[in-house]
Amino acid sequence: MGKLRGKVVKSGDNGMISYKNADGVKTEIPYDQPLSAELGIAMGTRVSFDVVLVNNSNMAVAVAPINNGTVGKLDPIKGIGSVLETESQIEYPFQQNYTAESLIVVGSNVKYTLVWSNNVLSAAALSLIP
């Protein structure tokens, strides 16, 4: 079936995702994803996922944030700033060297990886979305 995409409508390790099925009908599916908070899965987050059959019911697994956002704040000298996640509007801090050389500026659309460090969920490894 391949990876599907949807939006988290109930967060937590056992939450719900809203998506359009193969027929284009909007539907909801439960998911079971340990460490969901550490992965950055929250209400409104756009995610990719697989579907498996569990006890004759569909279950979303391998749920992962898509992690697209817009740079909202940036200090290119210190290499710090924040990214606003496109769908959920969650703001994540980041620290990245050579943002000017990477052509990352306030308003840039970027992909990133979320990392859990010092009890803070931060964006890392930012790259421009063409």
Side-chain angles (χ1 to χ4, degrees):
M1 181 185 297
K3 285 282 190 187
L4 298 173
R5 291 180 175 223
K7 191 175 192 177
V8 173
V9 293
K10 178 184 172 223
S11 60
D13 287 354
N14 295 291
M16 294 290 280
I17 298 170
S18 175
Y19 75 106
K20 288 188 180 177
N21 65 18
D23 297 324
V25 176
K26 189 174 181 179
T27 188
E28 290 187 356
I29 186 172
Y31 71 81
D32 188 347
Q33 181 58 59
L35 304 171
S36 61
E38 289 82 354
L39 287 167
I41 298 172
M43 286 292 292
T45 303
R46 296 237 343 121
V47 294
S48 64
F49 59 96
D50 294 323
V51 176
V52 297
L53 194 60
V54 177
N55 297 325
N56 294 321
S57 295
N58 286 333
M59 173 70 70
V61 296
V63 180
I66 295 174
N67 295 339
N68 292 340
T70 304
V71 175
K73 298 175 188 166
L74 175 63
D75 180 337
I77 304 300
K78 294 181 181 176
I80 60 172
S82 65
V83 173
L84 189 64
E85 198 274 328
T86 303
E87 294 292 327
S88 67
Q89 299 297 296
I90 296 171
E91 187 174 24
Y92 298 107
F94 74 82
Q95 180 176 357
Q96 182 160 315
N97 298 332
Y98 306 107
T99 54
E101 292 82 355
S102 299
L103 305 179
I104 295 173
V105 298
V106 170
S108 291
N109 292 320
V110 294
K111 285 187 166 271
Y112 52 89
T113 300
L114 290 174
V115 296
W116 190 259
S117 177
N118 297 323
N119 293 320
V120 176
L121 194 57
S122 298
L126 278 68
S127 62
L128 289 173
I129 297 174

